[in-house]
Amino acid sequence: MKTVFEWGAPGRRCTILPALDVEEVLPKAPFRETAPRLPELSETEVSRHYTELAEQVFGVNDGFYPLGSCTMKYNPSVNEEMCSLPGFTGVHPLQEDATVQGCLRVLKTAEEYLCAVTGMDAVTFQPAAGAHGEFTGLLLIKAYHTERKDTKRTKVIVPDSAHGTNPATATMCGYEVINLPSGADGLVDLAALKAAVGEDTAGLMLTNPNTCGLFEKDILEITKIVHEAGGLVYYDGANLNGIIGVARPGDMGFDCVHMNLHKTFSTPHGGGGPGSGPVGCKAFLAKYLPGHAVSGDGELRRTRAEMSLGDMRAFDGNFLVVVRALTYLLMLGREGLPEISKNAVLNANYMMEQLKDVYPMAFDKNVYHEFVITMEKSAKNGGVSAMDIAKTLLDHGMHPPTMYFPLIVHEALMVEPTETESRETLDAVIRVMKEIHEEAVRDPESIKASPKRAPIGRPDEVEAARNPVIRYRF
Ligand SMILES: *Cc1c(COP(=O)(O)O)cnc(C)c1O
């Protein structure tokens, strides 16, 4: 497709300003002598340019988008309507509390709901994403140990099935990461955990259900082992789709949790945000929370916690994302929330059951909201790989699942259908995946040559990530 510099012609404009009919008063000196090389386009060209760009994008509104762990789900339009209300978009974060009572009420109500969902006692909305929330959460844990002068706690335990942000976060916080190998069943190995904890344990970071879609059945024992060693337990709640409304991290023994409003709570994401990764914690950690707490029975006020970390970000976080999340929560209510997880779990298990005869599953058991296929055997024997399957799905108008993650499964395809896909969509996807399998058996080379219909085939992804060309070369 043409770039914006290849459209248009010199002098072309969207609006025609009348010629200058007064004296030009701006001095020449501080200004550039040559005009910047901006594209010059007519209104039709601008509008076609953006439409063409939009057509190159694939989103949840285009089709099935089963991005395991990342929950690309339905983003109700009513969310957008609510967060476009001028009362929300027209305020300034430095306004006096008395003049933004409605916005403070949004923050307070959203905090109450998220506490109810997670079993925590307080929430900060400052973090702008999941990884940012993890960083905030671990700083709370660090502040706790520091205040107790328990400074020998220098290690954070992270299972090898964890999202990559977990070890990165622990390292950013100055901790040494202890990698905990999972058992053959994909779960935390209790003996290995007992051997790993000690006087130097600051905490454990855990995702449950984990990134294999499996629920840690020994979760109460796990959190107890860490607590008895003097450490705290962090819950990676980026994706709560597997348990929301049914089980709560707070009841499992976790001290601190982050949630991704741009996953579970239906804010569109991808392409850089904005996101929101609020952090919830138990009461004993609340005094360290960053930013401002909203309190008061009648008139609401913003106050600093007693030993606040300071600010993780300016002001009150990505406020409009919180408006969307609250809209979603209010719409579903207490009765509706369990329907999310029940349907997410049903959809994942339905798809897995229908596919397991043709695609080898990484674990032979029921899952929660996502399941993991492994193409290891096929790839090793010169057959098709996870990448080949993913690229072929593009030709069928579907976004591929998460690939090559979790790291403990080789040639992984991690599928999260989400709760909002219908039986018909799931059946259509199952049919396509079976067809792809048949073709892979009959003519693997054809699958390896995919995609055949996408605008871009197989770019060098490492090169594209490390050396992106983002400037137009005149
Ligand atoms: C997405 C995700 C994260 C990171 O969230 P970002 O908003 O991308 O920083 C962390 N953990 C898990 C399990 C995730 O799925």
Side-chain angles (χ1 to χ4, degrees):
M1 99 177 241
K2 277 199 229 171
T3 69
V4 73
F5 293 101
E6 289 151 323
W7 288 86
R12 217 166 268 175
R13 295 286 182 276
C14 290
T15 40
I16 315 254
L17 294 177
L20 189 66
D21 59 358
V22 290
E23 193 192 336
E24 203 176 323
V25 289
L26 286 177
K28 290 267 182 279
F31 300 112
R32 61 191 304 158
E33 285 180 353
T34 49
R37 282 185 292 186
L38 298 176
E40 298 178 79
L41 285 76
S42 70
E43 189 168 345
T44 321
E45 287 167 332
V46 169
S47 128
R48 287 185 185 156
H49 168 69
Y50 282 109
T51 302
E52 199 179 346
L53 277 179
E55 282 166 356
Q56 306 272 318
V57 171
F58 187 93
V60 277
N61 291 341
D62 297 293
F64 192 57
Y65 205 140
L67 208 55
S69 187
C70 279
T71 320
M72 299 298 276
K73 67 189 217 178
Y74 167 59
N75 308 127
S77 320
V78 63
N79 288 0
E80 302 308 309
E81 270 176 54
M82 291 306 114
C83 77
S84 310
L85 291 175
F88 293 137
T89 56
V91 293
H92 192 280
L94 288 177
Q95 266 176 251
E96 296 289 333
D97 289 347
T99 67
V100 286
Q101 287 293 302
C103 296
L104 297 184
R105 178 65 62 193
V106 165
L107 289 171
K108 189 158 193 292
T109 310
E111 177 180 18
E112 285 163 8
Y113 279 43
L114 293 181
C115 282
V117 161
T118 55
M120 296 287 144
D121 299 313
V123 166
T124 171
F125 288 103
Q126 271 206 335
H132 199 196
E134 290 172 31
F135 186 53
T136 307
L138 274 205
L139 289 182
L140 296 179
I141 291 178
K142 194 168 200 171
Y144 166 82
H145 292 308
T146 306
E147 196 197 346
R148 293 159 50 92
K149 305 206 165 42
D150 197 356
T151 49
K152 61 189 180 306
R153 300 192 177 272
T154 54
K155 295 179 179 160
V156 168
I157 303 168
V158 183
D160 57 6
S161 59
H163 195 270
T165 46
N166 290 191
T169 296
T171 307
M172 290 268 291
C173 288
Y175 285 118
E176 185 184 331
V177 177
I178 303 296
N179 179 41
L180 191 68
S182 305
D185 57 359
L187 300 175
V188 168
D189 176 341
L190 286 186
L193 177 63
K194 279 183 190 148
V197 295
E199 291 205 324
D200 55 3
T201 304
L204 166 75
M205 297 180 87
L206 202 68
T207 311
N208 190 29
N210 66 21
T211 60
C212 305
L214 308 173
F215 192 87
E216 297 285 354
K217 61 184 182 346
D218 298 318
I219 189 59
L220 293 175
E221 182 69 15
I222 292 170
T223 52
K224 188 163 153 237
I225 290 170
V226 179
H227 283 148
E228 281 179 356
L232 298 185
V233 202
Y234 183 89
Y235 184 90
D236 179 340
N239 186 344
L240 283 174
N241 260 13
I243 57 161
I244 190 167
V246 173
R248 312 190 309 165
D251 301 331
M252 300 175 201
F254 288 90
D255 303 295
C256 185
V257 42
H258 85 266
M259 298 143 263
N260 279 15
L261 300 190
H262 50 286
K263 289 182 185 171
T264 317
F265 298 92
S266 81
T267 273
H269 75 286
S276 175
V279 169
C281 65
K282 288 280 175 73
F284 73 98
L285 290 173
K287 63 179 171 184
Y288 310 114
L289 282 175
H292 291 98
V294 178
S295 60
D297 290 326
E299 179 156 319
L300 299 171
R301 283 172 298 120
R302 280 176 282 192
T303 50
R304 279 271 172 205
E306 188 190 332
M307 301 183 68
S308 172
L309 293 173
D311 280 318
M312 296 300 295
R313 191 186 183 284
F315 308 117
D316 302 300
N318 280 332
F319 176 69
L320 295 176
V321 181
V322 182
V323 175
R324 289 184 178 94
L326 181 61
T327 306
Y328 187 64
L329 280 162
L330 285 167
M331 231 168 36
L332 288 163
R334 181 194 288 274
E335 300 73 27
L337 283 183
E339 297 298 316
I340 299 180
S341 48
K342 286 180 187 164
N343 284 309
V345 170
L346 178 64
N347 280 356
N349 282 284
Y350 176 72
M351 260 192 90
M352 185 182 77
E353 282 299 317
Q354 299 288 319
L355 288 174
K356 72 180 186 191
D357 292 338
V358 281
Y359 288 94
M361 297 296 156
F363 303 99
D364 181 24
K365 54 175 119 180
N366 283 352
V367 290
Y368 275 72
H369 55 298
E370 56 200 8
F371 64 92
V372 186
I373 293 170
T374 169
M375 298 303 294
E376 186 176 14
K377 220 170 170 181
S378 161
K380 265 200 184 139
N381 297 330
V384 301
S385 64
M387 174 73 91
D388 298 326
I389 302 286
K391 293 290 183 188
T392 312
L393 281 170
L394 294 176
D395 282 339
H396 292 270
M398 288 172 198
H399 197 282
T402 297
M403 298 154 58
Y404 298 100
F405 180 76
L407 301 179
I408 57 172
V409 177
H410 294 136
E411 290 290 332
L413 285 172
M414 184 198 212
V415 185
E416 179 180 4
T418 78
E419 77 281 11
T420 43
E421 293 301 342
S422 67
R423 168 86 186 264
E424 292 75 30
T425 305
L426 298 183
D427 285 339
V429 176
I430 290 162
R431 215 163 35 240
V432 164
M433 288 196 62
K434 286 185 171 167
E435 276 168 32
I436 294 175
H437 169 76
E438 275 165 31
E439 193 179 341
V441 172
R442 202 176 55 239
D443 182 8
E445 293 315 311
S446 154
I447 298 287
K448 289 180 191 184
S450 310
K452 292 159 197 149
R453 285 191 278 277
I456 298 178
R458 298 201 182 201
D460 179 339
E461 287 171 12
V462 176
E463 180 69 13
R466 296 287 176 271
N467 299 307
V469 180
I470 50 176
R471 299 180 66 178
Y472 181 68
R473 295 193 174 129
F474 285 98

